[in-house]
Amino acid sequence: MIVSLPPWVNRSFAFFSFALLGYLLRYAYAPYQFWWVAPISIATFFALIARYGASRLRILLIFTFQFSFELHLLWWSGIYVGMLPAVFLALSQALLMALPFIFWRTTAKSSLPACWLLGEFLITHFPYGGFGWGRLGYIGSGPVSLYSIGGVQLFSFAMLIVALALFSRKKTVIVLSLFLLLLGYLPSKIFSTTNKDLDSIKVTYVQGNVPRMGLDFNKQRQAVLNNHVKATETIDSKTDLIVWPENASDVDPLIDPVRSNLVDLAFRMKSPILIGGVSSQNSKILNISFLVRPNGIYDPVYVKRHLAPFAEYLPLRKIAEFISSDATRIHDMTAGTREVAFKVGKSTISPIICFEILDDGLLKEKLHSNIWITQTNTATFGYSAEAEQQLQIIKVRAIEHARPIVAVSTTGPSAFIDERGSITFKSNKFEQSTATKLVHLSNSTTLADTLPWEWIVMVLSFLPLAIRQRTR
């Protein structure tokens, strides 16, 4: 005897299933890095939404999947300010990801990747410059040579094609997915120009650590600066460059006495120091990176250009402060307007401050340099997975653009990453440390650098739909 369940039970089970699938997708990302979870969970997602036709329930289920995924991936964004900001961020990301599926029809199964990629385009660019932390391209494990060929966009496309192959079982899609996976496991160096015989530079990072985690970090400014000074003084070997993280000197480093003390430190260490700090100029608060040379010369200051909304400035401030009193802790910063690079010997150094690593266009403006330094402050995210996720994104960018990267963080992990994406050294979290390595400079150009892959992948994903419409 078959017992039919009430409609509300079926709907509840459907919502639970989609939420579970979104939660499982989280495990494809750092720190877990089970990349194969992504195509399996997305293939199941494709199969389930195909059962619901053009109904409002289908859109709600798609939103549920995306919201569950984004919330579990980004829960760290509310670790010290309450979960409301994290829920708001996950809601906005899920809405944008779900929006293109409104126009999807069950008869056009091959266009499912196009809907997903269009969603990724939206979260990468909107609102407020975008925050595409959950792009499939940031998984960073598995067929990673795809990054050298077509960047983050091609990796996302490949994961979706593998998912479509599992879902549709069409021979052409299966062959394409196998071809993409094969490319992704070939050596990445064959997809870039040969690196000219450049020199090397000896770099030392300083992970000064903080007295305690949380938003009170900003009340510990002098202690954090002292930590980085003391850790720097322990460096006992000659190095070409010392790098400090973001917010290492939030006691304004461009005015005395801090300025003079930093010049004196560089003189005593006989090495230039790349410092991340916060400065106030003409009533504007700036997130900066600047080079202090032993001779006392300050190079032009780099001001962070892509500020993080709801962290470094607050859109809709009145509404945000009404929702959470912690919003009053955020003081609006002013974004920089130009690229700045630093010369040390034969190296040309581009600083990348924290979430700027997400900005595709901004990174392409830094290809004139042969080494990148990413400076970040992970103290405000405590013991969450944010630091590991960010380091994985940095690794992705190293492969994509064939640039060695020194990633330095206040609380870790800090790391040396070569131009093939191999992490050659990684620090422990939540401890003071320094490390020195010889970094080989690279001015290689990858295929990802030469072609507009964001648009190429979008066109390829819509191609099956266009062919289908033409043959009707």
Side-chain angles (χ1 to χ4, degrees):
M1 178 179 177
I2 299 176
V3 179
S4 61
L5 297 174
W8 69 267
V9 174
N10 290 326
R11 285 194 296 269
S12 297
F13 181 74
F15 279 108
F16 172 79
S17 299
F18 276 80
L20 179 61
L21 280 175
Y23 171 76
L24 290 176
L25 179 57
R26 157 78 184 90
Y27 284 88
Y29 295 75
Y32 309 103
Q33 298 177 32
F34 302 131
W35 71 269
W36 42 267
V37 169
I40 292 174
S41 61
I42 294 171
T44 310
F45 165 74
F46 286 168
L48 290 179
I49 64 172
R51 298 173 55 186
Y52 285 93
S55 64
R56 285 180 295 178
L57 178 61
R58 186 186 74 188
I59 296 302
L60 290 174
L61 291 172
I62 292 170
F63 171 79
T64 299
F65 170 88
Q66 297 290 354
F67 177 69
S68 175
F69 162 64
E70 295 285 357
L71 185 62
H72 287 99
L73 184 73
L74 301 172
W75 70 270
W76 44 260
S77 60
I79 194 168
Y80 290 117
V81 295
M83 286 307 295
L84 271 177
V87 169
F88 178 79
L89 178 59
L91 278 171
S92 64
Q93 300 286 285
L95 282 170
L96 290 172
M97 284 296 298
L99 186 62
F101 286 92
I102 293 175
F103 306 100
W104 179 73
R105 296 294 177 263
T106 54
T107 54
K109 295 178 181 178
S110 59
S111 65
L112 282 166
C115 294
W116 189 292
L117 288 170
L118 191 54
E120 286 200 356
F121 176 85
L122 292 175
I123 65 170
T124 303
H125 294 89
F126 307 100
Y128 312 114
F131 185 74
W133 197 272
R135 296 162 78 181
L136 293 174
Y138 290 147
I139 287 174
S141 58
V144 294
S145 289
L146 290 171
Y147 294 118
S148 292
I149 305 171
V152 171
Q153 295 86 358
L154 184 61
F155 192 96
S156 290
F157 179 73
M159 292 296 101
L160 292 165
I161 292 300
V162 174
L164 186 63
L166 294 173
F167 162 53
S168 69
R169 300 180 185 177
K170 290 183 178 179
K171 289 183 179 180
T172 52
V173 181
I174 292 172
V175 170
L176 178 58
S177 67
L178 292 175
F179 175 69
L180 289 169
L181 290 176
L182 175 63
L183 286 177
Y185 280 102
L186 293 174
S188 62
K189 64 182 180 181
I190 68 176
F191 302 113
S192 61
T193 59
T194 303
N195 191 4
K196 295 178 182 177
D197 189 19
L198 295 180
D199 215 330
S200 301
I201 181 174
K202 187 180 285 187
V203 182
T204 301
Y205 78 73
V206 176
Q207 179 180 301
N209 209 4
V210 299
R212 58 187 179 275
M213 300 293 168
L215 291 180
D216 286 340
F217 167 87
N218 293 319
K219 296 180 180 178
Q220 310 169 56
R221 292 178 295 176
Q222 188 62 55
V224 173
L225 174 57
N226 292 343
N227 279 0
H228 285 84
V229 171
K230 290 175 182 176
T232 301
E233 291 172 337
T234 66
I235 300 170
D236 56 5
S237 60
K238 181 68 174 71
T239 185
D240 298 315
L241 175 67
I242 298 169
V243 295
W244 286 12
E246 179 188 29
N247 297 123
S249 180
D250 283 0
V251 182
D252 197 327
L254 299 184
I255 61 175
D256 287 327
V258 177
R259 177 188 172 100
S260 299
N261 292 339
L262 292 174
V263 170
D264 177 66
L265 180 64
F267 177 78
R268 287 187 285 116
M269 300 307 299
K270 299 179 180 178
S271 296
I273 308 174
L274 184 65
I275 295 173
V278 172
S279 180
S280 180
Q281 298 180 23
N282 300 321
S283 302
K284 296 178 180 179
I285 303 174
L286 309 175
N287 190 345
I288 63 173
S289 179
F290 62 100
L291 192 69
V292 181
R293 297 185 185 270
N295 60 8
I297 295 176
Y298 268 46
D299 285 34
V301 173
Y302 175 72
V303 180
K304 186 177 181 183
R305 297 160 62 193
H306 191 152
L307 297 175
F310 302 100
E312 292 170 316
Y313 72 98
L314 200 59
L316 310 173
R317 176 172 287 277
K318 290 184 179 180
I319 297 174
E321 290 179 355
F322 176 77
I323 294 173
S324 173
S325 59
D326 286 315
T328 58
R329 299 188 186 193
I330 299 173
H331 301 287
D332 291 345
M333 290 185 165
T334 301
T337 57
R338 65 190 181 101
E339 174 62 16
V340 173
F342 307 105
K343 292 285 292 184
V344 175
K346 292 185 179 180
S347 67
T348 303
I349 302 158
S350 280
I352 300 165
I353 302 177
C354 199
F355 291 163
E356 285 186 325
I357 199 69
L358 300 176
D359 191 321
D360 298 342
L362 184 145
L363 294 182
K364 287 196 173 182
E365 293 181 29
K366 297 177 181 288
L367 291 175
H368 60 90
S369 58
N370 48 35
I371 177 174
W372 290 354
I373 308 293
T374 62
Q375 299 166 288
T376 188
N377 170 27
T378 47
T380 49
F381 301 112
Y383 297 89
S384 71
E386 188 276 342
E388 285 82 3
Q389 291 172 15
Q390 187 173 359
L391 186 60
Q392 195 73 356
I393 295 171
I394 295 169
K395 172 185 170 181
V396 164
R397 296 307 198 179
I399 304 170
E400 182 178 12
H401 300 293
R403 290 295 181 272
I405 301 179
V406 180
V408 58
S409 164
T410 47
T411 57
S414 300
F416 290 92
I417 306 171
D418 69 20
E419 70 273 18
R420 305 300 173 202
S422 297
I423 296 177
T424 58
F425 180 86
K426 179 181 173 182
S427 72
N428 294 323
K429 293 173 69 174
F430 316 121
E431 64 180 37
Q432 189 174 104
S433 72
T434 66
T436 302
K437 282 193 75 70
L438 193 65
V439 178
H440 297 285
L441 306 174
S442 172
N443 60 3
S444 296
T445 301
T446 65
L447 286 176
D449 295 326
T450 58
L451 296 171
W453 280 98
E454 185 172 48
W455 301 108
I456 292 172
V457 164
M458 197 69 72
V459 169
L460 288 174
S461 65
F462 276 102
L463 196 58
L465 182 61
I467 294 172
R468 181 175 177 273
Q469 291 292 333
R470 187 178 178 85
T471 54
R472 273 188 168 183

